[in-house]
Amino acid sequence: MASRLLQLQAKVKPASEFVAKHGHSYYRQLLEQNKQYIQDPPTAEKCNLLAKQLFYTRLASIPGRYEAFWKELDCAKNMLKNRQDLKVEDAGIAALFGLECFAWFCAGEIIGRGFTFTGYYP
């Protein structure tokens, strides 16, 4: 175990040195490439305005998402009605999607319990 830790430290040290040496230039380059998204001057009023714009933009997108949900649901109903035309590949993808949803649910439960498998802390 100690040898693995030393190997890990040997690999992490050059990476951290690289980030320390080139991190600032990368940060400046990233800001320069995306300067059209930066609000100048960065005031609290501007932040509040942007937060309100984001909120109301997302609120305005609800009807479109609602319609898309019903279209997807109708498509799923149609696939269930025509089960004989269903390919094994489509059924496998649906099963994997369901399994992934269940895995994320389990991960959320474990995280919510404080990273325990047996139950909640008292």
Side-chain angles (χ1 to χ4, degrees):
M1 185 67 172
S3 65
R4 293 235 182 224
L5 185 61
L6 290 175
Q7 288 175 350
L8 181 64
Q9 285 176 340
K11 290 179 182 179
V12 168
K13 185 175 181 184
S16 67
E17 288 173 355
F18 179 81
V19 169
K21 183 186 264 188
H22 301 290
H24 185 68
S25 62
Y26 175 74
Y27 174 75
R28 280 188 282 137
Q29 178 187 1
L30 185 67
L31 287 180
E32 184 63 32
Q33 288 174 348
N34 297 298
K35 66 182 173 186
Q36 71 269 20
Y37 303 116
I38 298 173
Q39 294 296 318
D40 205 25
T43 61
E45 293 83 18
K46 194 65 167 176
C47 289
N48 289 334
L49 175 67
L50 290 172
K52 283 184 181 181
Q53 286 176 342
L54 177 64
F55 175 76
Y56 287 108
T57 301
R58 289 192 175 173
L59 196 62
S61 72
I62 289 176
R65 288 188 276 158
Y66 183 76
E67 290 175 17
F69 168 76
W70 286 111
K71 284 181 185 177
E72 288 288 330
L73 189 62
D74 289 339
C75 182
K77 286 180 186 177
N78 193 20
M79 288 181 81
L80 284 176
K81 286 181 184 175
N82 301 324
R83 274 181 252 151
Q84 63 274 12
D85 297 338
L86 189 65
K87 293 184 267 180
V88 175
E89 180 183 340
D90 295 335
I93 289 171
L96 285 175
F97 177 73
L99 185 64
E100 182 182 0
C101 289
F102 180 70
W104 280 111
F105 168 77
C106 291
E109 283 290 311
I110 291 168
I111 291 168
R113 290 182 185 145
F115 297 97
T116 64
F117 290 101
T118 56
Y120 295 97
Y121 286 123

